[in-house]
Amino acid sequence: MMAKRAARQRNQLPNCYYEGYLEKRSFKDKTSRKLWTCLCGNSLFFFNDKRDADYIEKVDLTGLVSITDDSSQDRNLDAARLNLQMKDINIKFTAPNAEARELWKGYIHAVAELSVPSSLNLLPGQIHMLKEAVEKEKERMKSLPPPPPPAAVTNSNAYISLKADMPACYHSVSRLEAELLLEREAKRGNLLLRPGSNGNSFAVTTRQDLEGSVFKHYRVARKPDGSFAIDVDNPVPCATLHDVINYLVDKTDRVLIPLILEEAYEKRISFIRSDDENGEKSVQQALSNPPSVPPKPVAVRVPTPEPAPAPAPAEEENIYLNDNMDEEEKETEDSIAVLLPPKEKKAPKKAIMPPTPAPRKLTSSLTPTSSTSSTSSTCPSSPSTTKRDLRKRTLTDPLAQIPLAAITELKLKLEQKAKSQE
């Protein structure tokens, strides 16, 4: 975090371990500036000149990530560059020579990590000075007040999480960088929101013209309940940072305009191609036709197999009591049954009785044997006897299916009876 504290002079700063001129350039700086730099405590303080009593910028080394060499060449062949990577910013420095670069790297690493680095090319006396700086910094750290209680740390973390919902005019710059940014982008806006100097607040920087540029800085404090207040003679409470910006814009009749920087993007795709014949390079536009999108694959539908039709019920066969099948037909059926698969067992079918035929009268043709005919010729029966026999035969044999033995016995009895009557 970089800030300006004009009220604090050099004699009020912590112990100075190392100092000298460095050219400083951050991501937002277009040109580098040669500043007198002092390593006091665990912070870098920058002055316009080594005789100045007030510093203009400060870099806290608590968030140090790495410090490495920059191999890019400088206009001054003796100069040596190095990169200071912090958690939120990357700063580029240029030292007068390679030896000064090694000393700056050693002191910064020793103070930030409280240990002497072993990978630097230093003389034994220089390494001894680094050890002394580490011991002094440890003693200074012990004399500092204790850290805030856990509740305050929790509130600070919750406050820092609010940065995800910042106004569009928020820029992570220092006090001096905010002034330079507003001066450079005067046509786009004259108000921006930036981080505060203590890391737990915010600040609003404005720029207006009155026989030159006039800059003003307003501190935005955070309350314990999570709201904010513009820290002026009569504090102005605001629920959110958006309300802070809206209040300043409305109360100044919209003279203050938030600075919103929109990054420029290309509208067409272009590329540089060299001519194969003469080698000249030219800018060409890519074809604007969008690539053809392949058709969406259609899932193959597998036809559902239709259920097999149920077998037709076998026609019921009429079973008659008087069905007599020939032996040849039975043999044929047996041979077919062997070839065909076995059928499921079904319940026995109920026999259907044939209709009862009308009774038939016995004629003379029913007398079968020659002996009977000879007997009847010798013993002729009377007409009344014949009628009686026919009536009796009809009653005893309704189906006309009397066995032959019974008919013969009946004839014998009739003959005996006829003889007895004579």
Side-chain angles (χ1 to χ4, degrees), residues 280-339:
E280 294 182 357
K281 295 183 179 181
S282 61
V283 179
Q284 297 186 6
Q285 302 291 336
L287 297 177
S288 59
N289 296 332
S292 58
V293 180
K296 186 177 180 181
V298 180
V300 179
R301 184 177 179 182
V302 180
T304 305
E306 298 181 358
E315 297 182 358
E316 296 183 355
E317 299 178 358
N318 296 332
I319 300 176
Y320 298 92
L321 295 179
N322 57 351
D323 286 348
N324 296 322
M325 301 180 67
D326 298 335
E327 292 182 358
E328 296 180 357
E329 295 179 357
K330 289 183 179 180
E331 292 177 358
T332 305
E333 291 181 357
D334 293 341
S335 61
I336 295 174
V338 172
L339 298 176

Side-chain angles (χ1 to χ4, degrees), residues 250-303:
D250 294 339
K251 292 302 179 180
T252 58
D253 294 334
R254 299 189 178 277
V255 173
L256 296 179
I257 302 173
L259 175 60
I260 301 175
L261 297 179
E262 296 182 356
E263 297 180 354
Y265 296 95
E266 297 292 336
K267 300 298 183 181
R268 295 182 180 181
I269 300 176
S270 60
F271 60 97
I272 299 175
R273 172 178 287 179
S274 59
D275 194 343
D276 296 337
E277 296 180 358
N278 52 22
E280 294 182 357
K281 295 183 179 181
S282 61
V283 179
Q284 297 186 6
Q285 302 291 336
L287 297 177
S288 59
N289 296 332
S292 58
V293 180
K296 186 177 180 181
V298 180
V300 179
R301 184 177 179 182
V302 180

